[in-house]
Amino acid sequence: HMYKTSEHFLNFPFVCFQVDLKGEIMNMAKISDSGKKQRKNWSSVWTVLTSDQLMFYKDKQETGLKPGGKADVLQLCGAFIEWNTEKSSRKNVFQIKTSTGSEYLVQTDSYSTASKWYDAIKKTVDSSTKEGFPLRRSNSTDYLPRHSSLPGYGSASPGVKQRNPIHRRSINMFGSSKLKHSASDSADKNGVKNRLKKFIIRRPSMKTLQEKGLIKDRVFGCHLSSLCEREGTTVPKFVRICVDAVEKRGLEADGIYRVSGNLATIQKLRFLVDEEEDLDLEHSQWEDVHVVTGALKMFFRELPEPLFPFRFFQLFVEAIKIKEPKQKVQAVKKLIQQLPKPNHDTMKLLFSHLHKVLAFSRKNLMSTQGIGIVFGPTLMWPELDAGNMAVNMVYQNQIVEFILTESQEIFNLDGK
């Protein structure tokens, strides 16, 4: 999707948490082995999670064998986990990268099962990594200071004699000097390792950086379920704040949600949302309600998986094709009731809000069709678009229009 972001951010809350998930069939593909790319081959594996390891067995019977019988053992200390929609056409895929550079894709057709494992593995990673930052296997110096005092990382290293070709040739004139030079290189490498270890140990923990406000959790681009879990809600706070602000001062605004706000101001608002805990939309810099609506639309567009989850896209398309009105309402209502709690509750709040926007259509000039055109591609898109973008857009708009028209029946708005 053209508005989606591929940026994902690490989030280490560093709390003591121990999770054991024992025994479940999952699909796994190893795509990198210690930094070397591997051909992607999916296989069904018996998956077990302990307090610091994720183990993939070829089958359930191998769980009693020695470690050599396991398909793969992932050390989760220093690992990185994220939802991934780019490296596989399958649904509900998440990626795990270990501290040694090995990468795995894990998947199952059940969204609830995939979410359960994702959340458990993430908490295990956070807990096992709480002592400090992991040392990533890399040839770059991204994790070293710009002016490093470590030997071999820049010419400003104090106390380290710089070798040059002339000096090297003078050493090679003596037969025994080669051995001494080799021993010196070995000593230098050990010195680098020891200094690097001390440097890593001295670095402040993620918890310390978070407490000092140097690193904060992001809102935009975060998976909806992860954001709601972090906030302890089923509807993101930012969505509620925006909806409240629009209903308080923007329901009669001409072209609400259709008119674009100033992009620079929207980006500034987005930055503040990601960096600050409290947001005051009553401030004069956000007086243009189109900036608020623009930021809300951007939030939904940048979800890694849309408000209508990928696995539901075709199901909603089939439901909207039903000709009999009552049957169509019941089919759509049933699908919405099957959505994960954060998706369902957020959708209910949003469509209740859009229903209020529609009630002021004579003043804001927004019709059901207009709202469908705006929110169709904002709230749903297929995981893979195989050249049917125009067709999909028609269905996206129709689905949003239909839910908006039947929102009172579908969400039981009168009885809330």
Side-chain angles (χ1 to χ4, degrees):
H1 194 272
M2 65 183 290
Y3 292 102
K4 288 167 60 184
T5 178
S6 60
E7 295 176 341
H8 298 274
F9 301 92
L10 276 172
N11 169 24
F12 292 112
F14 294 137
V15 295
C16 293
F17 189 91
Q18 182 165 331
V19 178
D20 283 355
L21 284 180
K22 296 184 178 179
E24 189 142 20
I25 292 293
M26 304 285 282
N27 298 315
M28 179 272 288
K30 189 174 185 178
I31 59 175
S32 176
D33 186 2
S34 299
K36 297 180 181 178
K37 290 186 177 181
Q38 303 287 306
R39 184 174 182 178
K40 182 174 63 181
N41 289 314
W42 286 99
S43 59
S44 180
V45 292
W46 185 258
T47 309
V48 176
L49 176 65
T50 68
S51 60
D52 62 349
Q53 293 180 336
L54 182 65
M55 292 171 283
F56 297 125
Y57 296 88
K58 293 180 180 178
D59 53 56
K60 185 176 181 180
Q61 285 69 31
E62 287 200 353
T63 55
L65 299 180
K66 294 180 179 179
K70 297 166 186 170
D72 275 286
V73 179
L74 283 67
Q75 300 294 336
L76 296 179
C77 179
F80 171 73
I81 179 172
E82 66 175 354
W83 292 99
N84 190 291
T85 59
E86 300 176 356
K87 296 185 178 179
S88 174
S89 60
R90 298 190 177 199
K91 59 186 178 182
N92 309 323
V93 177
F94 57 86
Q95 177 181 355
I96 304 173
K97 184 173 183 179
T98 68
S99 60
T100 59
S102 295
E103 296 179 65
Y104 298 79
L105 298 180
V106 183
Q107 181 268 345
T108 182
D109 290 339
S110 169
Y111 177 80
S112 59
T113 301
S115 295
K116 174 185 70 176
W117 279 87
Y118 175 89
D119 293 340
I121 293 171
K122 188 176 186 304
K123 289 176 181 177
T124 303
V125 168
D126 293 348
S127 178
S128 60
T129 317
K130 65 182 179 180
E131 295 300 327
F133 292 107
L135 173 61
R136 295 194 180 184
R137 188 182 181 90
S138 173
N139 292 326
S140 72
T141 58
D142 292 344
Y143 296 91
L144 295 175
R146 187 177 296 273
H147 301 291
S148 176
S149 61
L150 299 178
Y153 291 97
S155 59
S157 304
V160 179
K161 188 175 182 180
Q162 299 296 314
R163 294 188 179 90
N164 54 56
I166 298 176
H167 180 62
R168 188 179 294 276
R169 285 199 299 272
S170 66
I171 291 179
N172 288 340
M173 292 175 62
F174 304 96
S176 61
S177 295
K178 292 182 179 180
L179 180 60
K180 293 180 180 179
H181 178 67
S182 177
S184 175
D185 280 352
S186 178
D188 283 350
K189 290 179 180 178
N190 289 333
V192 170
K193 289 181 180 179
N194 291 333
R195 293 192 185 193
L196 192 54
K197 286 179 181 178
K198 292 179 180 179
F199 170 73
I200 295 298
I201 292 173
R202 287 197 302 267
R203 292 183 70 176
S205 68
M206 182 68 78
K207 182 178 180 181
T208 301
L209 293 175
Q210 287 176 325
E211 289 175 349
K212 291 183 177 180
L214 299 176
I215 294 181
K216 291 184 178 292
D217 296 321
R218 298 304 195 265
V219 173
F220 282 76
C222 182
H223 198 282
L224 185 64
S225 61
S226 299
L227 178 60
C228 288
E229 180 184 4
R230 191 174 77 213
E231 294 182 346
T233 64
T234 56
V235 178
K237 295 178 181 178
F238 177 68
V239 174
R240 288 190 181 277
I241 292 173
C242 289
V243 165
D244 290 343
V246 174
E247 292 184 359
K248 185 180 294 185
R249 53 189 170 92
L251 288 177
E252 297 183 3
D254 185 8
I256 188 70
Y257 287 111
R258 186 185 70 241
V259 176
S260 299
N262 182 275
L263 182 58
T265 309
I266 292 173
Q267 291 287 13
K268 181 179 180 181
L269 175 58
R270 170 191 174 172
F271 176 80
L272 290 176
V273 170
D274 279 340
E275 295 298 322
E276 302 292 337
E277 293 183 3
D278 297 321
L279 176 66
D280 181 17
L281 288 182
E282 297 298 322
H283 194 280
S284 58
Q285 63 180 326
W286 319 123
E287 62 183 358
D288 182 5
V289 73
H290 298 299
V291 168
V292 178
T293 58
L296 182 60
K297 289 187 293 184
M298 181 180 287
F299 169 83
F300 284 113
R301 286 169 182 158
E302 295 198 358
L303 288 173
E305 185 173 30
L307 187 62
F308 289 76
F310 291 131
R311 67 188 180 95
F312 282 89
F313 183 88
Q314 195 59 39
L315 296 175
F316 275 102
V317 170
E318 295 303 320
I320 205 66
K321 292 179 181 178
I322 299 174
K323 294 183 179 180
E324 205 284 315
K326 291 184 179 179
Q327 187 179 350
K328 184 190 294 188
V329 170
Q330 292 307 312
V332 172
K333 183 175 182 179
K334 183 177 180 180
L335 285 175
I336 290 178
Q337 289 174 341
Q338 294 173 1
L339 292 173
K341 186 70 170 173
N343 299 71
H344 175 277
D345 290 0
T346 302
M347 195 178 295
K348 180 177 181 178
L349 176 72
L350 179 62
F351 277 93
S352 174
H353 167 63
L354 294 177
H355 192 266
K356 296 175 184 178
V357 171
L358 194 60
F360 286 83
S361 60
R362 294 184 64 179
K363 293 188 177 181
N364 60 38
L365 304 181
M366 287 298 291
S367 64
T368 304
Q369 185 180 17
I371 294 176
I373 292 173
V374 171
F375 279 94
T378 298
L379 301 181
M380 65 185 305
W381 58 85
E383 188 169 10
L384 290 176
D385 202 327
N388 298 320
M389 183 178 296
V391 176
N392 287 334
M393 186 170 293
V394 171
Y395 287 128
Q396 290 165 336
N397 298 354
Q398 287 180 358
I399 292 167
V400 170
E401 285 182 49
F402 183 77
I403 296 176
L404 179 58
T405 302
E406 304 293 338
S407 57
Q408 288 182 304
E409 167 64 23
I410 291 175
F411 294 107
N412 300 318
L413 295 184
D414 291 335
K416 70 177 183 177

